Amino acid sequence: MHKFDFSNGQVTYFRKFIKTDAYVRAMTEKRIVITEFGTCAYPDPCRNIFSRFFSYFKGVEVTDNCLVNVYPIGEDFYAVTETNFITKVNPDTLETLKKVDICDYVNINGITAHPHIERDGTVYNIGNCMGKGFLLAYNIIKIPPTQKDKSDPIEKSKVVVQFPSANSFKPSYVHSFGMTENYFVLVETPVKINLLKFLSSWAICGSNYMDCFESDEEKGTWIHIARKDPGEYIEHKFRASAMGLFHHINSYEDSGFIVIDLCTWKGFEFVYNYLWLANLRQNWEEMKKEAMVAPQPEVRRFVLPLDPYREEQGKNLISLPYTTATATMRGDGTIWLEPEVLFSGPHQAFEFPQINYKEHNGRNYTYAYALGLNHFIPDRICKLNVRTKETLVWQEPDSYPSEPIFVQSPNGEDEDDGVLLTIVVCPGAQSPTYCLILDAKDLSEIARAEVEVMTPVTFHGLYRP
């Protein structure tokens, strides 16, 4: 974990390894003990071939290596990954406090690192589960806000609603989901998790998470919606062409429609296939060649009609005046969705998106901020006006920023009254890392706090007042 602490006009930098079981055991035994996303556990050199073989039959040991995000639950903060384990941390000292297994409280195999948090502190998240008839499904879970009796909100977690899976035995890889004021949105992409391979091949042959992904070239993309209160799945069959998806930007309701904005990758192939270390260690020209054949990024807007049966088959169901997205009822009862493209550049991705979350999550909005990826390399900060499609960019040579975090001005009136915080890495510089503060309106630099140590490029984080 990394922290830049702002106090009395000064900035202090902290960092500390999270003492998860995966970390402690790896440091103790000087090897990878628990299999990670793309790295297999390394065999214990002290065991002979027979003891190693039989150890594989003890079952899958799931990692608690919480390297993806950190977010609040009640008055506490948790570092998270995409498994069933989350780790309570002290945000002041970065000390590791407690490992929590979400499976102890709700029916879930694992949860995303991208929950939605309502203004009262209620946390919603999603993960795949064993549903009715022993078929795979997805549960939305709800964790209440801070309790008056100071009890742990996680102990009062519950399942709100269940989504069916397009493939009963191979759930999609779900990295995030959408939430409006009254609805949940789940996008099922063609990238599937082969659970049979996860349980058998991994346990016996020593595979990793990446080995268990496969692409379903035929099904395309399925989009599901459900009411929040009361939790109720709505059986509209929304379909779209094949695409990859990690991050939702925002979702909102407007005049009988749900608008969802997504950072997508064209086609059915899994983008992670191009991010192995062997690829990233190639020289720049070779790296660009790899990116040329990889799925191409695009920011897309889909519009879902809440009443798709009011028009004849074949007619566009979308009547919002500000979008070219369409929805068409087909003869088989499915609603085919064509998106409006909000941003598209050759091999230029708009990823790790952020908005003025406090005021505009689940509501109509104008601005999104993101990390710009040039052939997968993060080299800029971007601002997108989703109404006009205009973009602004901050960029400096040999500088590699991280996810921009929007912080609203205390007395701000406009949606983009605030600043963006990002951690920039500059290899070879005298101060190779700095926290950069940009004006969210025009991306002009306000200040930077330099650190004379190198830090890794980070994934996700938050601003804690």
Side-chain angles (χ1 to χ4, degrees):
M1 284 188 71
H2 305 259
K3 181 177 74 164
F4 283 87
D5 187 72
F6 298 81
S7 180
N8 299 320
Q10 292 187 325
V11 183
T12 306
Y13 173 71
F14 300 81
R15 66 178 178 183
K16 188 169 290 188
F17 281 104
I18 302 169
K19 303 302 191 296
T20 60
D21 288 350
Y23 173 83
V24 172
R25 291 173 61 185
M27 293 299 103
T28 302
E29 300 189 32
K30 295 180 173 53
R31 63 185 179 91
I32 299 296
V33 180
I34 302 175
T35 292
E36 300 295 339
F37 196 88
T39 309
C40 295
Y42 196 83
D44 186 346
C46 297
R47 292 184 178 182
N48 61 38
I49 189 170
F50 296 105
S51 60
R52 289 184 202 173
F53 176 78
F54 287 112
S55 69
Y56 285 130
F57 290 93
K58 293 181 180 179
V60 175
E61 190 169 15
V62 176
T63 184
D64 63 345
N65 183 23
C66 297
L67 77 168
V68 182
N69 203 356
V70 57
Y71 61 82
I73 297 178
E75 296 180 346
D76 300 317
F77 287 80
Y78 289 83
V80 300
T81 180
E82 297 181 293
T83 68
N84 50 299
F85 295 116
I86 62 177
T87 301
K88 184 177 176 180
V89 294
N90 183 322
D92 296 316
T93 65
L94 304 188
E95 293 290 340
T96 303
L97 300 178
K98 183 173 69 171
K99 176 179 176 178
V100 176
D101 185 352
I102 297 295
C103 290
D104 290 342
Y105 306 98
V106 287
N107 174 23
I108 208 92
N109 295 329
I111 56 173
T112 78
H114 292 286
H116 279 290
I117 303 175
E118 295 202 309
R119 291 158 186 85
D120 68 350
T122 300
V123 176
Y124 291 97
N125 211 334
I126 191 171
N128 66 63
C129 65
M130 190 62 70
K132 297 177 181 178
F134 296 101
L135 300 177
L136 267 296
Y138 310 89
N139 276 343
I140 294 278
I141 67 169
K142 176 181 180 180
I143 305 175
T146 302
Q147 303 295 290
K148 292 181 179 179
D149 61 3
K150 300 298 181 181
S151 60
D152 187 349
I154 295 177
E155 296 176 355
K156 296 179 173 60
S157 302
K158 66 177 183 179
V159 174
V160 177
V161 67
Q162 187 170 102
F163 292 99
S165 174
N167 187 317
S168 301
F169 300 101
K170 296 178 182 178
S172 290
Y173 172 58
V174 178
H175 189 82
S176 63
F177 67 106
M179 188 177 79
T180 72
E181 291 185 310
N182 298 292
Y183 296 89
F184 299 113
V185 179
L186 166 64
V187 179
E188 274 196 289
T189 71
V191 178
K192 307 295 182 182
I193 305 171
N194 187 328
L195 289 183
L196 182 62
K197 190 172 184 179
F198 181 88
L199 295 172
S200 60
S201 178
W202 184 356
I204 299 172
C205 304
S207 302
N208 57 48
Y209 287 80
M210 274 293 293
D211 295 324
C212 302
F213 288 105
E214 57 187 49
S215 293
D216 187 333
E217 302 178 23
E218 298 179 358
K219 271 197 165 58
T221 300
W222 292 32
I223 301 179
H224 307 267
I225 59 173
R227 290 187 184 88
K228 281 174 65 177
D229 190 15
E232 179 185 7
Y233 178 66
I234 299 173
E235 297 190 15
H236 296 338
K237 300 176 181 178
F238 296 111
R239 304 289 185 265
S241 59
M243 62 183 177
L245 170 67
F246 297 104
H247 301 114
H248 286 242
I249 300 175
N250 198 14
S251 305
Y252 63 89
E253 302 158 44
D254 188 356
S255 306
F257 300 93
I258 294 177
V259 179
I260 59 173
D261 293 343
L262 309 171
C263 298
T264 69
W265 299 79
K266 297 179 183 178
F268 57 82
E269 193 174 5
F270 198 23
V271 175
Y272 281 170
N273 290 332
Y274 293 85
L275 299 180
W276 291 100
L277 280 177
N279 294 17
L280 299 179
R281 283 173 172 157
Q282 297 178 117
N283 66 46
W284 178 230
E285 293 304 318
E286 291 299 318
M287 180 78 184
K288 285 198 289 187
K289 288 179 183 178
E290 292 279 352
M292 295 288 279
V293 297
Q296 295 305 299
E298 206 167 66
V299 177
R300 294 178 175 179
R301 168 168 286 182
F302 291 90
V303 182
L304 286 55
L306 290 170
D307 181 11
Y309 303 104
R310 61 182 181 179
E311 294 284 354
E312 298 177 12
Q313 290 181 16
K315 289 188 175 181
N316 181 21
L317 304 172
I318 309 304
S319 57
L320 294 178
Y322 56 80
T323 182
T324 58
T326 63
T328 308
M329 178 67 74
R330 292 180 161 183
D332 60 0
T334 60
I335 303 113
W336 183 259
L337 304 176
E338 287 290 344
E340 175 184 7
V341 177
L342 300 182
F343 174 83
S344 182
H347 319 294
Q348 305 295 314
F350 185 92
E351 265 291 358
F352 296 78
Q354 289 278 322
I355 61 171
N356 183 338
Y357 191 92
K358 181 179 178 181
E359 298 297 330
H360 288 274
N361 184 56
R363 299 173 178 174
N364 204 335
Y365 74 116
T366 302
Y367 301 110
Y369 312 92
L371 181 61
L373 305 181
N374 175 19
H375 297 79
F376 297 129
I377 303 300
D379 69 351
R380 68 197 70 188
I381 296 295
C382 306
K383 178 182 181 180
L384 171 66
N385 184 320
V386 299
R387 300 176 188 269
T388 66
K389 303 181 185 178
E390 295 174 299
T391 58
L392 293 175
V393 170
W394 174 91
Q395 188 175 29
E396 286 190 0
D398 301 317
S399 299
Y400 306 98
S402 64
E403 172 190 61
I405 297 173
F406 179 85
V407 181
Q408 187 177 23
S409 297
N411 301 313
E413 296 182 0
D414 296 335
E415 179 184 334
D416 57 352
D417 275 344
V419 299
L420 299 179
L421 305 177
T422 181
I423 300 174
V424 184
V425 176
C426 306
Q430 183 175 352
S431 298
T433 301
Y434 60 90
C435 178
L436 176 67
I437 305 173
L438 301 176
D439 187 321
K441 281 192 174 293
D442 59 9
L443 300 194
S444 61
E445 180 175 336
I446 295 175
R448 64 177 67 184
E450 297 180 330
V451 181
E452 294 184 359
V453 293
M454 176 70 82
T455 68
V457 174
T458 58
F459 288 132
H460 304 287
L462 83 164
Y463 170 74
R464 185 174 67 97

